[in-house]
Amino acid sequence: MTLSDTIRAAFEAAFPGGDFSAVRVVPATDPKFGDYQCNDALKYAKQAGLKPREAAQRVADALTGMPDNPFSGVEIAGPGFLNLTIGGKWLAERLGALAADPVDLGIEQSGRGKRIVIDYSSPNAAKQMHIGHIRSTVIGNAIDRIFRSLGYDVVADNHLGDWGTQFGILIKGYRECLTDAERENLTVANLEKCYVLSAARAKEESGEWKEECRRELVKLQQGDEENLALWRKFIDISIGEFERMYRRLGVKFDTYRGESYYNAKMPAVVERLVALGLAVESEGALVVKLEDEGLGVAIVRKSDGGYNYTTSDLACVEDRVAEYDPERIIYVTDDRQQLHFKQFFSISAKLGCRARLVHVPFGLMSYQGKAISTREGNLIKLDELLEEAVKRSMEIVAPRGGDERLAAQIGIGAVKYADLSHDPGTAIDFTWEKALALEGNSGPYLQYAYARVCSLLSKAKEAGAAPGDFVAFASGAAAAEKRLALQLLEFPGAVRRAAEAYKPSVLADYLYQTSQLYSSFYQNTPVLKSEEPARSSRLALCALFGAILRKGLGLLGIETPERI
Ligand code: ARG
């Protein structure tokens, strides 16, 4: 039960039958007035025919009468505000309960028995991953971890772009544009190269090359063995290389079902759309008209008889529902695909889809102030970005005796956090200075805060001191200490809010604020040098902060080395 839930229960007891869903407590504007305040009693006074202060008094009485009332002080101020002071005993108990739950740290297991599919990363095969792919991978993986922590059964599905006209161009290019050596030692870089060369020739005026690419594609679609074997080879090589990247990033998928998997299922979906009168002919194509919803027209079969991205996603959703019966499917892609998702969600609903479909769109990432594009020639490969991250963090950790592994933990953590600390919906600019800063809102800052608390705890151990229970709070705690303690209790709520909003940034913000509060606590309050029982109580607070920081960073996919 959160503090807001408690105060709602008190409103309910004071004015039975009302709707108090909007009632909440907020942190006090000034610690002089307590820890929290609630300004909602005024709103209900009139309805109850009471003066505002009388209404507030009723809530206060109800609160004081509650068996596990968290507040030791409830005061009425001004026109009917409630000033609330958290009781030491209650706080000590709550902190104790969190510390006694080291795996979940109070995170409610609200997802038990529920399944969701998360579709993320999903790069196109035969192309190297570049820095444009990092957002879907990192944001998607954090959402994946956050939902798992809430007890959901998550299926992480990498929806590879592994089907389409590009494969005709690739097969032709593979046969004609590569050297024997390149064919023998096929890499994604070689595939990319042969695609570029072949696509350029497909533009030739005679149209011969283009026609041959088309023929190869048709052969592939009709199941020609040789072409199918080549296609399989391209996909395997691509997945192999993507997996190398995922290993470095600590990202794991449960399944790699690309667009090709849904290929055979597309005609049936279109037939149903036609039978239901949803798809109609327009200039030789089949389309679903969504103008009434402001979503234009979605093509589901092109005039040449081919299917497209929309058809593929429609077939995919039906298949996922049939196989997994998820309560929700979450798609993480850049925001240029918003119309696509709105269209196909709307069509899926018309087809009776029972899963909730959610698109999490993210803004584009620029690099050091410049848009990332092939034309700009700054299409940085993900590989190179990660390499650079490790190299740069090596410069930071080497003087402290850190090794390659530590440099990787910090460098990769920095790249991830630079992304996750921003609301996914916003466009972001990546700069090395911000990402690797040791001060301010950065990955290394948080990792460093964690390492410091580990070192404090091991120093305590050497001195024969150990974290105890939280007794000091029962007998009055310093302001910074109490502020930190209250913030630590908010951890499960921060995880829940991050999931509800599909924004790992909510959790990142929480962790950053918590680390700042920890720092001001640590600067203002003696820990090792304090007397018992304050010492073991404060050590327990430090240990809980460390556990929460570790768990929280873990949910963002960021490692927490104990020494930096
Ligand atoms: N392959 C697509 C791209 O690179 C992303 C696929 C997202 N998932 C989906 N089911 N449409 O943009």
Side-chain angles (χ1 to χ4, degrees):
M1 192 142 120
T2 65
L3 291 172
S4 288
D5 292 338
T6 306
I7 198 99
R8 264 176 233 134
F11 270 78
E12 178 64 41
F15 310 107
D19 171 14
F20 302 109
S21 50
V23 168
R24 51 185 37 94
V25 297
V26 291
T29 43
D30 185 334
K32 268 208 310 271
F33 304 134
D35 301 313
Y36 292 95
Q37 60 195 57
C38 173
N39 306 336
D40 297 314
L42 285 76
K43 278 186 239 155
Y44 297 94
K46 214 172 179 179
Q47 287 171 20
L50 294 171
K51 291 196 181 116
R53 283 184 69 100
E54 286 169 2
Q57 187 60 51
R58 262 210 214 175
V59 178
D61 291 343
L63 258 183
T64 347
M66 283 168 65
D68 51 358
N69 170 26
F71 304 108
S72 59
V74 181
E75 272 166 27
I76 295 158
F81 301 130
L82 288 162
N83 287 344
L84 307 162
T85 305
I86 294 281
K89 195 165 150 281
W90 181 89
L91 191 52
E93 274 167 19
R94 283 303 169 103
L95 291 167
L98 264 198
D101 182 18
V103 176
D104 293 328
L105 286 156
I107 300 173
E108 285 162 60
Q109 298 301 293
S110 53
R112 277 278 152 77
K114 295 183 202 157
R115 182 178 285 152
I116 59 175
V117 175
I118 312 185
D119 173 325
Y120 67 97
S121 195
S122 310
N124 294 329
K127 280 193 190 156
Q128 299 187 84
M129 286 177 96
H130 57 78
I131 122 165
H133 292 109
I134 194 151
R135 297 210 78 190
S136 176
T137 310
V138 166
I139 296 170
N141 186 246
I143 293 178
D144 173 343
R145 289 167 186 263
I146 289 170
F147 274 89
R148 280 179 213 261
S149 81
L150 291 162
Y152 283 88
D153 175 9
V154 174
V155 180
D157 189 353
N158 194 333
H159 189 80
L160 292 178
D162 64 355
W163 201 247
T165 46
Q166 71 269 35
F167 287 96
I169 299 172
L170 275 164
I171 290 172
K172 173 83 179 148
Y174 172 83
R175 294 209 176 101
E176 316 251 347
C177 307
L178 291 184
T179 64
D180 285 346
E182 282 169 336
R183 267 191 293 269
E184 220 122 282
N185 180 17
L186 199 59
T187 58
V188 176
N190 286 337
L191 283 173
E192 209 170 66
K193 178 181 150 196
C194 90
Y195 178 82
V196 171
L197 294 174
S198 179
R201 296 209 52 190
K203 291 205 181 90
E204 283 171 5
E205 210 153 322
S206 74
E208 255 168 60
W209 190 281
K210 191 172 174 189
E211 183 50 31
E212 277 169 49
C213 291
R214 210 191 58 81
R215 269 204 292 276
E216 297 296 356
L217 179 69
V218 172
K219 272 168 77 182
L220 173 68
Q221 288 167 337
Q222 290 169 345
D224 172 81
E225 263 178 47
E226 212 181 312
N227 279 10
L228 217 46
L230 274 182
W231 170 79
R232 193 64 256 168
K233 183 170 173 168
F234 300 165
I235 302 303
D236 288 345
I237 287 171
S238 305
I239 292 184
E241 243 172 76
F242 296 156
E243 286 201 316
R244 199 162 52 79
M245 222 66 70
Y246 296 141
R247 264 198 300 281
R248 294 192 80 171
L249 289 168
V251 169
K252 266 205 208 97
F253 291 94
D254 298 301
T255 163
Y256 279 84
R257 269 197 195 150
E259 291 174 22
S260 66
Y261 183 84
Y262 306 100
N263 189 36
K265 305 174 202 269
M266 292 192 282
V269 176
V270 173
E271 270 165 39
R272 280 189 39 228
L273 285 171
V274 173
L276 289 167
L278 289 168
V280 293
E281 256 203 65
S282 166
E283 296 169 34
L286 278 175
V287 304
V288 180
K289 297 193 163 169
L290 301 167
E291 287 119 327
D292 289 354
E293 300 158 50
L295 298 177
V297 166
I299 298 180
V300 292
R301 199 179 70 201
K302 296 184 283 183
S303 54
D304 66 4
Y307 300 105
N308 63 7
Y309 196 40
T310 307
T311 339
S312 162
D313 262 330
L314 286 170
C316 170
V317 122
E318 294 207 337
D319 197 77
R320 284 175 177 163
V321 170
E323 176 156 1
Y324 305 114
D325 195 18
E327 65 134 43
R328 232 181 296 187
I329 306 178
I330 302 170
Y331 300 81
V332 185
T333 80
D334 74 59
D335 57 15
R336 292 172 302 184
Q337 298 193 26
Q338 295 206 64
L339 181 62
H340 163 73
F341 282 100
K342 284 190 183 135
Q343 288 184 334
F344 110 72
F345 287 180
S346 163
I347 303 173
S348 283
K350 294 187 207 308
L351 285 171
C353 171
R354 58 175 184 271
R356 177 145 57 114
L357 306 180
V358 180
H359 182 214
V360 178
F362 54 81
L364 289 185
M365 186 193 257
S366 54
Y367 182 75
Q368 315 257 61
K370 283 206 191 102
I372 298 164
S373 76
T374 325
R375 237 176 306 136
E376 293 284 329
N378 66 348
L379 203 71
I380 297 141
K381 290 180 201 121
L382 191 50
D383 219 2
E384 287 167 10
L385 180 87
L386 300 182
E387 210 54 62
E388 181 75 14
V390 177
K391 205 184 101 204
R392 289 191 187 228
S393 48
M394 196 67 200
E395 284 161 22
I396 299 172
V397 303
R400 303 163 185 251
D403 57 8
E404 184 82 17
R405 181 174 142 74
L406 182 63
Q409 289 175 311
I410 292 182
I412 307 281
V415 168
K416 287 187 176 185
Y417 191 83
D419 188 329
L420 296 172
S421 54
H422 294 88
D423 185 317
T426 57
I428 60 170
D429 183 46
F430 182 90
T431 71
W432 287 111
E433 293 66 33
K434 269 188 283 169
L436 287 169
L438 291 175
E439 289 298 326
N441 195 2
S442 73
Y445 167 77
L446 294 177
Q447 286 174 319
Y448 189 53
Y450 179 73
R452 271 195 328 205
V453 81
C454 287
S455 122
L456 171 73
L457 292 169
S458 71
K459 253 191 236 148
K461 202 170 171 191
E462 279 165 30
D469 53 25
F470 296 89
V471 279
F473 292 102
S475 53
E481 184 173 20
K482 192 170 186 189
R483 189 69 204 87
L484 172 64
L486 291 171
Q487 172 80 3
L488 294 179
L489 294 185
E490 298 287 325
F491 176 64
V495 175
R496 195 194 58 224
R497 282 186 290 116
E500 280 167 359
Y502 308 103
K503 290 183 197 299
S505 56
V506 169
L507 179 58
D509 282 349
Y510 167 84
L511 295 174
Y512 179 54
Q513 277 170 23
T514 310
S515 298
Q516 285 181 308
L517 289 173
Y518 175 76
S519 206
S520 73
F521 154 74
Y522 193 69
Q523 275 159 26
N524 296 312
T525 326
V527 176
L528 284 180
K529 292 204 175 82
S530 60
E531 298 294 325
E532 288 299 348
R535 183 168 76 163
S536 53
S537 181
R538 286 179 184 161
L539 278 172
L541 196 64
C542 295
L544 184 57
F545 163 69
I548 283 177
L549 189 54
R550 180 184 157 88
K551 175 88 184 177
L553 285 173
L555 294 182
L556 299 179
I558 296 172
E559 291 187 57
T560 38
E562 289 181 8
R563 289 189 54 183
I564 290 188

